[in-house]
Amino acid sequence: MRNSKRSIQKIIFSAVILTAIISCNKLAPSENIPAYIKINGITLRSDTNKQHTLSNKITDSWVYLDDQALGAYQNPCTFPIITTPGMHSIKIGAGIKLDGIAATRVIYNFYTLFDTVVNLSPKTITTISPWTRYASYTNFLWIENFEQSGISLSNTNSDTVIQTTNLSTPANVFEGAHSGAAYLDATHPYFECRSFNSFNLPQGGAAVFLELNYKSNNLFNVGIYDNNFNQMYSLSINPSPVWNKIYVNLTNQVSGGGAPPFIIFINMTKDPNVPYPQLFLDNIELVD
């Protein structure tokens, strides 16, 4: 199932985990006169054959000059290049924080690589405006944007149910007309929702991600149930007072020996220090 494209090494770690993002203020050797490249950010473009949100959290640009890796740069940035003047190939990979962790920055290979040719001159800043799309091999197995009349999430063993917000409270709607919401209190301390459908996700190290937008004042968790109903946690997500985007890596849990098919779950237990926990969700997208 596209093993050559979809192994965990090629999809998730197509670039090694970054231990230190390269400083955009790094000085070139004094005996060389550098050219400069400026990148304000990477834009995610729509696809005619894929219905998905354009919300993203592309934080870094992984830059290749004439197919040689230069490094990863936090957007926006301006950085020097020591090379011969003239036309050069530039490729830029869209970088994310894996599981939202700053220390694990990788190229997200479900996004395409930007490819262009630029004319580089000493002492001259060349501005590049890269863009990306989802790669043609990306499968959107599940999309829940809370805009339909029904919700593809069920509530089991939960003290409350997932609801939908509307534009009467705009701050609780990420985009469109609705988002999902769960509310807890002292008499309703636990929430869990699960994907209504189960999924035959690829194993053997093939990459599987859950993308989502969220806002919460309480820690919550994401993971999977296998066919034997073993619950496997993938990530605990810290509160965010503003809408955020995260790319949750489900690969280890899916490939860890559990029996398919799998169900996705999101749960939250009331923090004793939070009187009224709230969790808002939007654009839940399962990709492999």
Side-chain angles (χ1 to χ4, degrees), residues 38-259:
K38 180 179 181 181
I39 301 173
N40 292 319
I42 301 176
T43 302
L44 178 61
R45 291 188 177 180
S46 62
D47 304 86
T48 56
N49 60 338
K50 293 184 174 72
Q51 300 299 316
H52 59 78
T53 179
L54 294 181
S55 168
N56 67 85
K57 198 168 185 181
I58 300 171
T59 55
D60 309 316
S61 293
W62 292 73
V63 182
Y64 299 82
L65 173 68
D66 299 325
D67 293 321
Q68 299 298 310
L70 294 183
Y73 302 85
Q74 290 187 76
N75 298 327
C77 60
T78 302
F79 52 91
I81 293 181
I82 301 297
T83 189
T84 56
M87 305 303 292
H88 292 272
S89 166
I90 297 287
K91 294 183 175 70
I92 300 173
I96 65 164
K97 298 176 184 177
L98 190 69
D99 288 332
I101 301 171
T104 55
R105 297 172 183 262
V106 299
I107 293 177
Y108 194 52
N109 272 30
F110 287 119
Y111 291 153
T112 57
L113 198 68
F114 179 77
D115 191 350
T116 190
V117 175
V118 296
N119 188 4
L120 298 177
S121 301
K123 299 182 181 181
T124 301
I125 297 175
T126 299
T127 299
I128 300 177
S129 300
W131 56 268
T132 186
R133 288 191 174 101
Y134 280 92
S136 60
Y137 51 79
T138 305
N139 287 324
F140 286 83
L141 302 176
W142 175 38
I143 295 178
E144 177 55 75
N145 58 18
F146 301 96
E147 300 299 326
Q148 309 304 316
S149 57
I151 299 176
S152 56
L153 291 160
S154 63
N155 299 276
T156 306
N157 299 325
S158 179
D159 297 326
T160 186
V161 298
I162 191 163
Q163 307 174 33
T164 54
T165 62
N166 58 55
L167 292 174
S168 63
T169 309
N172 295 337
V173 176
F174 176 71
E175 65 183 9
H178 304 280
S179 293
Y183 306 95
L184 297 178
D185 55 32
T187 57
H188 303 85
Y190 181 73
F191 163 74
E192 181 168 303
C193 64
R194 304 170 188 171
S195 59
F196 187 81
N197 294 320
S198 57
F199 305 97
N200 284 302
L201 301 173
Q203 297 181 287
V208 181
F209 274 78
L210 189 74
E211 301 183 21
L212 57 92
N213 295 104
Y214 71 93
K215 181 174 70 166
S216 178
N217 63 353
N218 196 103
L219 182 144
F220 67 101
N221 307 291
V222 174
I224 62 172
Y225 287 100
D226 71 3
N227 194 44
N228 296 320
F229 218 67
N230 296 310
Q231 187 179 41
M232 292 168 277
Y233 283 82
S234 296
L235 185 65
S236 294
I237 301 175
N238 289 321
S240 174
V242 297
W243 282 100
N244 197 11
K245 168 88 174 189
I246 195 165
Y247 303 79
V248 181
N249 179 17
L250 302 178
T251 307
N252 290 338
Q253 288 69 42
V254 171
S255 294

